[in-house]
Amino acid sequence: MSRRRTHPRTLAQRALLYLLLAVVAVVPLFPLYWLVISAFKTPAEFVTIPPTWFPASPTFDQVNAALTQVPFAQSMMNSVIIAGGATISVLITSILAGYVFAKYQFRGKNLMFWGIVATMFLPPIVTLVPLYYLVNSMGLSDSYIGVLLPWLANAFGIFLMRQFIMDVPDELIEAARLDGASEFRIVWQFVVPLIKPAVVTLAVFMFVFSWNNFLWPLTILRTEAMYPVVLTLNRLMSYTMSFDYQNVVIAGALIASLPTLIVFLISQRVFVQGIASSGVKG
Amino acid sequence: MNLTSTTGGGPISGLPRPRRRRTDKAHRGITAAIFLSPTVLIIGLFTVVPMIMTIVISFHRWSMFTPITEMDFVGLDNYARLLSDSARVQAIANTGVYVLLSVVITVPLAFLIAMLLYFPRLRGRNIVRVILFATYVIPTIAIVIIWSNIYAPGYGPLSAMIQAIGITPPGWLSDPSWALVSLVIFNVWQMLGYYVILLVAGLTQIPEELYEAAKVDGAGIVRQTRSITIPMLSGSLVFVVLMTIINSIQVFDPIYLLTQGGPAGSTNVVSFEIQRSAFQYGQAGDASALAVSLFMLIVLVGVVLNAISKARKR
């Protein structure tokens, strides 16, 4: 990339740009900073006026309380099962469907593809009532399957996979076919390695999306033992009105955010690129 | 499926492969059907069927606490009632304000930040990009918890900061005239990074030569932005506007978690009203009529934006 376009010439210009950049970094970071320091404050310090900008005597008590006083570990496990299950399923269904939409010709293909993509713009709230009715009447409320069922396939995933698989050369697939490889093996052995960045993007996207999904579990789950961590946090929030407990809730929020943050930070280079190209390619 | 694959071999082995050729086409048709069936089944059963059911239910009176067989056909009654029920009218108006504010704040801000991050020779811009995007991956409930603390009167940092410069802070979430705005700020903070990433990607697609030519003609940065960047970026900008509208039109989690539509109905939005009508009052028909209206609104927005972006291309 040519770097000559309008680059800042004078020292004043550069200083101003760096100042702006600092503001753009600090403002979004501040709430995250506040989350972390609040989780390590004592309940008394948490409600002092004016607020302190750094914990005077940092303590792990709130983190411990969040982990032990409520079934937090159980609900983290539930979240792992729900988010992990949805991610694996969406990867499989999206890669297979994306491959067919990218490389096969049949009548009604485009209609079917764009019909599926259109569901991307359908807010979950619109279909919530019948969805609840359907899953409930299947006797699947309060089960992992019930939480997972509507999220096992996903239009965004199919769209993303198709965009990237279209760039895989046809010759490669033909050569593999002449070699006698099954279609399934072609996908697994030749296509997937070539579109790895897109697969990683979709995996991270789905994991974050399902980990954070609130409305559907709230609708379909009854017993607390089944709750993913976002619902446990909600319960903590609504049942603990005492100030003593408020930063236990904050400690819980910090713990609940860690898995998605870690997954994001590990994959950020690939993930950000993948998300970016989903917009440009669209 | 794996039965048809051979191990080893390859084109270099030079062995003739006469078998299977004739049946390849039919075989692949079956494979396509197998590959597509899980997706079609799931999206059909859990998206398309519920969508149709929502439309059907919207013409009926049905309490969700009774069996579906007790549904009563009432024609357009539910739709007519949408407009006479003041809580629902307010929910629609609040959604409009929320969407409008979100677009007006998010899109220009995302554009300016994207321009800044796209400046060449600026160290640390990748770190800023990561920080911006990190807010997007955190569970909304965690963000709700932290922002309700930031907004807290007295011990919250935001009020303390505003007080420090000599201004009396508003009551944020407890003040009917500020509550919706506070929720918009929250939404902008959460989503901004996502849109910045999309716009930066759009900026990298603009050919460098255009700027070179403009510079030869003596165009300054403002002129370049107006005549090259914005027109060339219009596709991405329209996409960002569309995503902002779709995202904010269906806001639910922060409303449910923070305000429950209050104070005084000032943050009651359509999606919250749908959930409350259906699952708290059992009025599935009313909820479905509202849901269908919401969906039609999104379709309308999509059609209008599509027309705008097509008109711009000409």
Side-chain angles (χ1 to χ4, degrees):
Chain A
M1 202 198 317
S2 156
R3 296 250 157 178
R4 276 187 297 156
R5 180 177 73 91
T6 54
H7 67 79
R9 282 193 189 78
T10 67
L11 199 66
Q13 273 178 338
R14 290 184 71 83
L16 181 71
L17 282 175
Y18 276 110
L19 185 72
L20 281 174
L21 201 64
V23 170
V24 170
V26 167
V27 173
L29 205 53
F30 177 75
L32 297 180
Y33 171 74
W34 201 254
L35 174 67
V36 175
I37 61 160
S38 301
F40 295 104
K41 282 180 181 177
T42 61
E45 191 187 359
F46 180 68
V47 290
T48 49
I49 303 173
T52 54
W53 304 88
F54 192 80
S57 49
T59 164
F60 270 96
D61 287 357
Q62 327 307 330
V63 175
N64 277 335
L67 286 173
T68 52
Q69 291 183 13
V70 284
F72 213 83
Q74 169 72 48
S75 61
M76 288 287 273
M77 202 57 223
N78 289 339
S79 282
V80 168
I81 292 168
I82 292 166
T87 304
I88 291 166
S89 171
V90 162
L91 281 181
I92 294 170
T93 53
S94 300
I95 290 169
L96 294 181
Y99 175 68
V100 172
F101 283 125
K103 294 297 178 194
Y104 281 60
Q105 295 305 326
F106 56 89
R107 241 193 313 167
K109 185 180 88 165
N110 282 333
L111 188 73
M112 198 171 169
F113 175 71
W114 290 111
I116 290 175
V117 169
T119 66
M120 211 154 85
F121 300 104
L122 181 73
I125 189 85
V126 172
T127 53
L128 192 70
V129 168
L131 201 56
Y132 168 77
Y133 175 78
L134 279 174
V135 175
N136 196 38
S137 54
M138 289 165 144
L140 291 171
S141 58
D142 251 357
S143 68
Y144 291 128
I145 296 288
V147 185
L148 279 169
L149 263 184
W151 315 101
L152 293 178
N154 159 294
F156 172 77
I158 293 157
F159 180 75
L160 196 71
M161 289 304 110
R162 180 229 190 208
Q163 294 301 97
F164 280 84
I165 294 174
M166 283 204 307
D167 292 342
V168 174
D170 287 339
E171 295 78 26
L172 188 90
I173 292 167
E174 261 327 304
R177 276 185 190 146
L178 286 175
D179 241 11
S182 72
E183 292 295 288
F184 188 77
R185 207 176 128 193
I186 291 172
V187 172
W188 182 242
Q189 260 189 348
F190 298 95
V191 175
V192 168
L194 283 174
I195 58 159
K196 227 176 181 173
V199 174
V200 171
T201 300
L202 182 57
V204 176
F205 181 85
M206 260 329 279
F207 184 81
V208 168
F209 171 83
S210 341
W211 185 278
N212 298 352
N213 192 6
F214 178 78
L215 181 56
W216 178 244
L218 176 78
T219 307
I220 202 69
L221 292 178
R222 292 281 161 275
T223 50
E224 281 171 12
M226 291 300 299
Y227 278 8
V229 71
V230 288
L231 285 192
T232 301
L233 272 176
N234 175 42
R235 195 187 64 102
L236 256 179
M237 240 173 102
S238 44
Y239 289 113
T240 55
M241 287 307 171
S242 85
F243 277 120
D244 275 10
Y245 224 71
Q246 270 202 14
N247 62 336
V248 176
V249 178
I250 288 207
L254 180 63
I255 301 165
S257 310
L258 285 180
T260 54
L261 267 177
I262 291 167
V263 165
F264 165 68
L265 288 176
I266 290 170
S267 66
Q268 52 85 14
R269 202 172 287 269
V270 175
F271 182 55
V272 170
Q273 281 302 322
I275 289 289
S277 56
S278 77
V280 174
K281 282 191 159 192
Chain B
M1 278 175 287
N2 267 321
L3 292 176
T4 53
S5 71
T6 55
T7 45
I12 16 159
S13 67
L15 288 169
R17 296 183 185 280
R19 5 153 247 118
R20 222 166 65 78
R21 284 260 72 182
R22 254 165 299 138
T23 56
D24 263 6
K25 256 215 155 101
H27 186 84
R28 250 180 262 156
I30 295 165
T31 314
I34 293 170
F35 281 13
L36 277 182
S37 53
T39 295
V40 171
L41 200 72
I42 291 159
I43 291 187
L45 195 57
F46 299 111
T47 304
V48 179
V49 168
M51 186 65 229
I52 295 165
M53 281 174 77
T54 300
I55 297 170
V56 172
I57 296 169
S58 77
F59 298 118
H60 290 79
R61 185 181 302 120
W62 174 43
S63 164
M64 283 195 69
F65 311 129
T66 59
I68 202 163
T69 45
E70 284 172 27
M71 215 158 65
D72 274 333
F73 183 77
V74 293
L76 289 168
D77 269 17
N78 294 329
Y79 290 92
R81 244 206 328 279
L82 273 188
L83 301 171
S84 60
D85 181 309
S86 64
R88 287 185 187 131
V89 172
Q90 194 183 13
I92 294 167
N94 285 340
T95 304
V97 173
Y98 185 89
V99 170
L100 199 71
L101 278 177
S102 298
V103 173
V104 167
I105 300 173
T106 308
V107 178
L109 203 57
F111 177 70
L112 290 177
I113 296 175
M115 290 281 286
L116 179 69
L117 290 185
Y118 191 59
F119 255 108
R121 295 192 184 173
L122 217 50
R123 271 166 213 270
R125 55 183 184 161
N126 285 332
I127 297 166
V128 176
R129 240 194 280 196
V130 171
I131 291 171
L132 273 169
F133 205 82
T135 64
Y136 176 75
V137 302
I138 296 173
T140 303
I141 184 157
I143 299 174
V144 160
I145 289 167
I146 190 61
W147 274 85
S148 68
N149 177 241
I150 285 174
Y151 280 138
Y155 63 91
L158 193 59
S159 298
M161 278 190 274
I162 289 175
Q163 218 140 29
I165 52 172
I167 303 169
T168 311
W172 304 116
L173 294 164
S174 55
D175 181 343
S177 51
W178 273 91
L180 199 63
V181 177
S182 305
L183 287 165
V184 171
I185 294 173
F186 170 102
N187 177 253
V188 170
W189 180 79
Q190 185 179 22
M191 297 301 293
L192 196 63
Y194 180 73
Y195 301 126
V196 168
I197 300 296
L198 290 180
L199 289 178
V200 169
L203 285 172
T204 60
Q205 303 287 306
I206 301 173
E208 204 68 27
E209 298 81 58
L210 289 178
Y211 292 107
E212 303 287 340
K215 249 194 297 188
V216 171
D217 291 344
I221 182 157
V222 176
R223 188 64 215 268
Q224 284 181 23
T225 304
R226 214 183 50 197
S227 306
I228 300 171
T229 313
I230 292 178
M232 292 296 289
L233 198 65
S234 65
S236 298
L237 283 170
V238 168
F239 185 67
V240 167
V241 171
L242 178 72
M243 295 311 284
T244 310
I245 294 174
I246 288 178
N247 160 268
S248 50
I249 218 169
Q250 52 175 315
V251 57
F252 174 83
D253 298 9
I255 311 286
Y256 178 90
L257 292 164
L258 269 181
T259 63
Q260 292 277 317
S266 63
T267 61
N268 188 20
V269 293
V270 172
S271 56
F272 182 71
E273 186 63 32
I274 293 172
Q275 199 264 358
R276 184 158 65 173
S277 301
F279 292 94
Q280 287 180 38
Y281 309 147
Q283 302 159 335
D286 294 278
S288 298
L290 206 51
V292 172
S293 313
L294 184 77
F295 180 61
M296 306 262 267
L297 211 67
I298 289 176
V299 172
L300 189 73
V301 166
V303 170
V304 169
L305 279 175
N306 195 32
I308 291 173
S309 78
K310 271 199 180 128
R312 281 212 71 134
K313 268 181 198 144
R314 262 184 230 129

